[in-house]
Amino acid sequence: MVVSLRAFPPRFDVIVVGAGHAGCEAAMAAARLGLDTLLLTSNLDRIGHLSCNPAIGGLAKGHMVKEIDALGGMMGHWADAAGIQFRILNTSKGPAVRATRAQIDREAYMRAVKRSIFQQDRLWTVQDMAEGLLMEAGRIAGVRTAYGQTFASRAVLLTTGTFLQGTIHVGLTNFPGGRLGDAPAAGLSACLRGLGLELGRLKTGTTPRLLKDSCDFSKMEPQPGDDPPQPFSFMSAGVPLPQVPCYMTWTNEATHAAIREGFDRSPMFTGVIQGRGARYCPSIEDKVARFPDKGRHQIFVEPEGLESPEVYPNGIPTSLPLDVQQKLLATVPGLERAVIMRPGYAIEYDFVFPTQCRPTLEVKAVPGLWTAGQLNGTSGYEEAAAQGLWAALNIACSLAGRPAFLPGRDQAYMAVLVDDLTTQGTTEPYRMFTSRAEHRLLLREANADARLTPLGRDLGLVDDARWAAFSKKSAMVQELLEGLAGVQVRPDAATRDVLRTMGAHVPAKAVSLAELVRQPDLHLADCAPLWPHIADCLRQQPDAVQEAETICKYEGYLKRQAQLAAQSKGMEHTVLPADLVYHGIPGLSREVTEKLAAARPHTLGQAARISGVTPAAIACLEVHLKKLERAGGGGENL
């Protein structure tokens, strides 16, 4: 047997610090793009660990998983390999807000991630903890570790999650930890402050894990997945693991009374926790305090894995004392005898105010340093993975001297995410919602490949097999759209009978098949008797048929959104000079001047989205840029 020995290169192209969702996505992308990559993690056994709930996707989050996949990233592929329940959410609503969510087998997911990481060429892994950053000639030159090792690199990407000065809280007991069972990163925060970065403090939490055999599922409502399950990846033909149900139960007034009794020992209500928590994912004690008139709250009891003895009661994240956690569970139907295997807890950690980053996620003040994931103030696996891929693509572009990877807000949810973070910043854990995207009808899960796969191909991350599959689907969608416009349906006797059988309205005159499909509750698949080619396409590629139907049905809305997006392109493509001096620009108030000088927006569009920057201020900026152009001093277009 020939053993391949891979010695460390004398200098890495990029070092990725942290092997959570952002770090794993970034490391894989960087290595696949030909960069010598080091993935540095405090625990090799925890690569790809799902620290909180055992699920991936959901509203807006599923969109980002699809976008990652469309660009050639990994999260959708890993989720499909480990998914044990898949559901399409919002099926009764429009296609813009439908989203995929999957329950994940934790161990299977980590196995899938580690298999990819350990087999990837040009990717090395080391178990150690980053303690400091090396600088040379004013830019990043590498990393110094807790074990005294130094690794040289051209770029460093920090994806440290909740580990920076992490503190875990269970009741009034607290102790250092990056998550339960893992040590925090102690030295990196001071290093970042020493480089001039401003850090804040955030809080997140998780639920207790329960012994599955101690739960009475007969008292709960089963929540099955879709049959057949629809995978995330555009390249997945199906899912390999057996599918299992979740269960739903509810808290009640007795639960809430038990929770209130523990308020005096809650780290949230006694002021022990100082970090800002997630507005849209509050702890159960916060929900009870904020909504005293609400009689019950849902709890989704989710499997941790096919062979795991644990379940995850989603909906009751808490940092209450352990005895209070036990008391509140004893009041919940089906959980009366539940045994807590791991306590629920809150964790506080340091984060970098993301307005200190460029739109590429490179830190403005420290060339060669990049940040992604919860370190940038986000909440969620999908937000982290999207940032990790975004940063890796931009690192590759930067090192190769290529233009930055900066799709617009009308092209991707991940672009909305990064733009919101770097332009507006956040003081609480940021979570993606479909409502954050002003062009969300253009940003459907189903067309993520049409939006982003050509970009991924141009960057080198989309391989030949994926490109061939995408090209085949795109050609079929176009063929169907042309056919729908060209096939005429005439209301003769035979056709009227077919239409009535389909439940369709019979038109008074000949119409195109496209016009017919726009009838409510009529689907393109139903129209196969009128155009047999539809049946052939359904057998070959049903997702192409579904996409053609969506484009046809929503043609008017899509055109209107595309026009609105085009109207905003002017501002999005007008670059503000990096050295633009805002003080002294006529018409700008002191408040606006200070905000612009602090944020250093990349484009006029970004400037317009900064809170407090008025349309009048944008008009003043436009006038100033035109003066600079006439003087030969800036205001270029992307």
Side-chain angles (χ1 to χ4, degrees):
M1 181 178 68
V2 177
V3 178
S4 175
L5 298 177
R6 296 196 303 158
F8 287 168
R11 185 188 188 198
F12 289 98
D13 292 310
V14 58
I15 296 173
V16 179
V17 178
H21 301 283
C24 290
E25 199 69 63
M28 284 296 295
R32 291 172 59 208
L33 290 171
L35 302 182
D36 286 338
T37 304
L38 173 63
L39 180 59
L40 192 65
T41 175
S42 61
N43 190 342
L44 286 172
D45 294 331
R46 296 275 205 148
I47 288 176
H49 182 59
L50 300 163
S51 299
C52 195
N53 65 314
I56 285 175
L59 302 181
K61 292 169 175 282
H63 290 73
M64 288 189 289
V65 178
K66 291 276 192 178
E67 290 176 354
I68 290 166
D69 184 73
L71 284 165
M74 299 300 297
M75 180 174 251
H77 171 75
W78 292 329
D80 290 346
I84 54 177
Q85 187 194 96
F86 288 79
R87 292 180 68 189
I88 306 298
L89 308 180
N90 279 349
T91 53
S92 63
K93 298 183 179 180
V97 294
R98 293 175 197 154
T100 307
R101 186 179 188 272
Q103 293 300 141
I104 302 295
D105 184 309
R106 288 187 193 274
E107 293 298 325
Y109 190 84
M110 285 197 291
R111 284 196 301 271
V113 176
K114 286 191 275 192
R115 188 181 304 118
S116 298
I117 295 286
F118 294 151
Q119 292 178 355
Q120 178 61 47
D121 290 338
R122 307 192 80 156
L123 176 55
W124 288 261
T125 53
V126 168
Q127 180 165 307
D128 201 346
M129 188 171 287
E131 286 284 317
L133 299 171
L134 307 178
M135 300 290 292
E136 188 176 292
R139 65 171 294 117
I140 284 292
V143 168
R144 183 182 69 255
T145 75
Y147 294 158
Q149 301 184 87
T150 58
F151 298 101
S153 66
R154 301 166 66 194
V156 171
L157 171 60
L158 300 180
T159 65
T160 51
T162 60
F163 276 67
L164 290 195
Q165 300 285 37
T167 302
I168 291 173
H169 299 266
V170 181
L172 300 182
T173 300
N174 57 74
F175 50 90
R179 63 181 160 226
L180 197 63
D182 287 304
L188 208 48
S189 290
C191 175
L192 293 174
R193 288 191 177 95
L195 292 173
L197 274 71
E198 183 183 1
L199 306 185
R201 198 84 171 146
L202 293 178
K203 183 223 64 151
T204 189
T206 190
T207 74
R209 270 61 156 187
L210 311 179
L211 179 65
K212 180 168 63 176
D213 289 346
S214 68
C215 301
D216 185 353
F217 295 106
S218 69
K219 296 182 178 179
M220 306 181 201
E221 182 180 322
Q223 299 287 302
D226 294 339
D227 186 17
Q230 299 298 312
F232 277 111
S233 177
F234 290 98
M235 297 298 288
S236 292
V239 298
L241 297 183
Q243 302 295 287
V244 297
C246 298
Y247 292 86
M248 185 164 64
T249 185
W250 289 267
T251 64
N252 51 55
E253 288 297 345
T255 313
H256 302 170
I259 290 169
R260 292 188 190 98
E261 288 177 10
F263 277 1
D264 62 338
R265 291 187 288 147
S266 164
M268 284 182 55
F269 299 133
T270 56
V272 175
I273 290 177
Q274 298 295 315
R276 188 84 171 268
R279 180 192 307 260
Y280 303 105
C281 188
S283 66
I284 186 62
E285 55 265 39
D286 196 22
K287 283 191 274 190
V288 169
R290 286 166 54 188
F291 307 108
D293 297 330
K294 191 173 176 67
R296 65 178 191 171
H297 298 279
Q298 286 182 339
I299 302 174
F300 286 92
V301 182
E302 303 172 343
E304 295 265 337
L306 294 176
E307 298 181 8
S308 173
E310 295 176 282
V311 292
Y312 184 95
N314 195 346
I316 52 170
T318 183
S319 58
L320 288 166
L322 190 54
D323 64 300
V324 179
Q325 294 185 33
Q326 192 68 69
K327 285 180 183 177
L328 75 90
L329 288 168
T331 67
V332 176
L335 302 181
E336 295 94 341
R337 299 178 182 276
V339 174
I340 296 176
M341 297 184 70
R342 308 173 202 234
Y345 64 91
I347 182 168
E348 287 184 286
Y349 55 95
D350 289 346
F351 81 107
V352 171
F353 287 104
T355 51
Q356 298 170 103
C357 295
R358 304 182 191 282
T360 59
L361 296 182
E362 184 179 20
V363 174
K364 296 173 184 177
V366 189
L369 178 63
W370 311 68
T371 59
Q374 282 183 275
L375 179 61
N376 282 343
T378 57
S379 170
Y381 308 145
E382 305 81 5
E383 289 89 342
Q387 290 176 74
L389 181 57
W390 184 285
L393 292 172
N394 277 297
I395 290 170
C397 289
S398 176
L399 296 182
R402 294 187 53 167
F405 169 74
L406 294 174
R409 292 175 68 95
D410 61 328
Q411 289 179 277
Y413 269 94
M414 61 172 67
V416 175
L417 165 70
V418 173
D419 183 63
D420 282 355
L421 291 173
T422 58
T423 301
Q424 301 178 39
T426 188
T427 56
E428 62 185 56
Y430 177 105
R431 180 179 179 181
M432 178 54 72
F433 295 100
T434 54
S435 59
R436 294 191 188 272
E438 60 270 35
H439 305 298
R440 57 184 171 274
L441 189 54
L442 303 179
L443 306 180
R444 307 181 304 281
E445 270 197 358
N447 75 338
D449 55 346
R451 293 183 275 119
L452 296 172
T453 296
L455 292 179
R457 180 68 169 179
D458 181 61
L459 291 165
L461 201 58
V462 169
D463 61 21
D464 291 343
R466 179 179 289 273
W467 184 248
F470 166 72
S471 300
K472 179 183 176 183
K473 176 188 171 184
S474 299
M476 188 174 289
V477 170
Q478 187 59 37
E479 180 185 348
L480 284 165
L481 291 173
E482 290 173 0
L484 287 171
V487 173
Q488 292 292 303
V489 179
R490 304 183 185 280
D492 54 36
T495 303
R496 285 198 298 270
D497 289 342
V498 172
L499 291 173
R500 291 189 185 104
T501 302
M502 292 163 47
H505 171 73
V506 178
K509 60 179 181 178
V511 297
S512 70
L513 194 52
E515 292 177 76
L516 194 70
V517 169
R518 293 191 187 106
Q519 292 187 23
D521 301 323
L522 188 63
H523 299 290
L524 185 51
D526 301 329
C527 298
L530 301 173
W531 186 27
H533 183 60
I534 294 172
D536 295 334
C537 293
L538 277 168
R539 283 190 293 271
Q540 295 178 52
Q541 201 152 11
D543 56 341
V545 177
Q546 182 62 53
E547 181 60 12
E549 177 184 318
T550 299
I551 294 172
C552 181
K553 277 185 175 291
Y554 292 87
E555 181 183 20
Y557 298 100
L558 292 170
K559 283 183 177 178
R560 204 166 306 138
Q561 284 233 329
Q563 289 169 354
L564 291 172
Q567 289 171 10
S568 67
K569 287 286 188 187
M571 290 205 303
E572 299 299 338
H573 286 187
T574 301
V575 176
L576 298 172
D579 58 353
L580 181 61
V581 178
Y582 292 98
H583 294 278
I585 294 178
L588 295 187
S589 68
R590 178 180 296 179
E591 177 190 2
V592 168
T593 298
E594 289 175 353
K595 288 188 173 184
L596 290 170
R600 308 298 310 176
H602 180 61
T603 66
L604 202 59
Q606 283 190 337
R609 288 189 290 277
I610 296 173
S611 175
V613 176
T614 63
I618 295 299
C620 293
L621 268 180
E622 287 184 287
V623 170
H624 186 69
L625 288 176
K626 288 176 181 177
K627 289 181 180 178
L628 289 178
E629 285 177 17
R630 289 195 292 270
E636 59 183 307
N637 286 324
L638 281 172

